[in-house]
Amino acid sequence: MANNYRRRKVKENPERQIVLGLVVSSDYFRIAFPLLQSDLIETPYIRNVVKWAIRYWEKFQKSPGIQIEDIFKKEVKAGSVDEDEAVLIEELLFSLSDEYERAEQFNVQYLVDQTESYLETKNIEAKTKRIKTLLERGELSAAQHEMLDYKQIS
């Protein structure tokens, strides 16, 4: 009997994993919080959820958990989220809801390592882009200063 299964590679979005960690794990949040720079999160709707989680953390010193849905509804009601973005956020939160229950099995250190690597990569990419832009404008001195001013995330 022939096996008709096809293998396909599942690509997990690192930004989604970061949001998952922030929403479900206070242990992850505590370690990752100093690393977080929301401008390094490229996906706008994920960046918004990260900002909401950070605000919640700053007020309560814990991950928002299921309350992230209430925060989302409040932001939609306030008009701070457009309709297209609201649909994307709603889908993201729905996909995360299954994982709320498995939070105890969450490998915090693994995700912290992945987060550091991802954010450092984005940090270097952003720095490289700024340097390239300065060079294209002929601002050699500013580009050199930008190179020397590099700060590692972790």
Side-chain angles (χ1 to χ4, degrees):
M1 182 173 194
N3 184 344
N4 291 331
Y5 296 109
R6 281 189 234 148
R7 291 183 119 176
R8 64 185 164 142
K9 189 174 183 177
V10 176
K11 184 178 180 196
E12 187 60 51
N13 179 340
E15 293 183 351
R16 182 189 178 283
Q17 290 300 103
I18 291 169
V19 167
L20 172 64
L22 296 175
V23 169
V24 304
S25 173
S26 292
D27 290 336
Y28 169 78
F29 213 132
R30 189 174 301 104
I31 298 167
F33 184 66
L35 306 173
L36 290 174
Q37 297 176 26
S38 60
D39 61 322
L40 295 178
I41 303 295
E42 292 183 330
T43 311
Y45 72 95
I46 291 178
R47 186 181 317 119
N48 276 341
V49 178
V50 167
K51 288 177 182 178
W52 302 339
I54 289 171
R55 278 198 315 251
Y56 188 91
W57 175 267
E58 288 173 338
K59 185 170 184 177
F60 299 106
Q61 295 298 297
K62 65 180 190 174
S63 292
I66 200 77
Q67 280 78 36
I68 198 70
E69 293 177 14
D70 295 332
I71 295 167
F72 165 64
K73 290 173 186 172
K74 181 179 152 194
E75 294 291 335
V76 168
K77 188 174 181 179
S80 60
V81 177
D82 69 38
E83 191 175 316
D84 292 337
E85 187 174 46
V87 169
L88 294 170
I89 293 172
E90 188 171 39
E91 288 172 1
L92 172 68
L93 296 180
F94 180 77
S95 75
L96 295 179
S97 66
D98 290 338
E99 300 181 55
Y100 291 151
E101 291 122 30
R102 295 192 303 254
E104 300 85 38
Q105 302 167 352
F106 195 74
N107 186 337
V108 170
Q109 192 54 54
Y110 176 77
L111 186 55
V112 167
D113 291 347
Q114 297 301 306
T115 299
E116 285 178 346
S117 177
Y118 178 76
L119 293 176
E120 192 60 55
T121 299
K122 293 299 166 191
N123 187 34
I124 291 169
E125 288 174 355
K127 178 67 78 173
T128 302
K129 185 177 178 180
R130 286 190 298 271
I131 291 168
K132 185 177 180 191
T133 299
L134 290 168
L135 288 173
E136 288 171 352
R137 286 194 232 152
E139 299 177 32
L140 181 59
S141 179
Q144 289 170 327
H145 179 51
E146 188 74 27
M147 278 179 46
L148 296 173
D149 193 39
Y150 174 74
K151 290 179 183 73
Q152 194 172 358
I153 286 182
S154 50

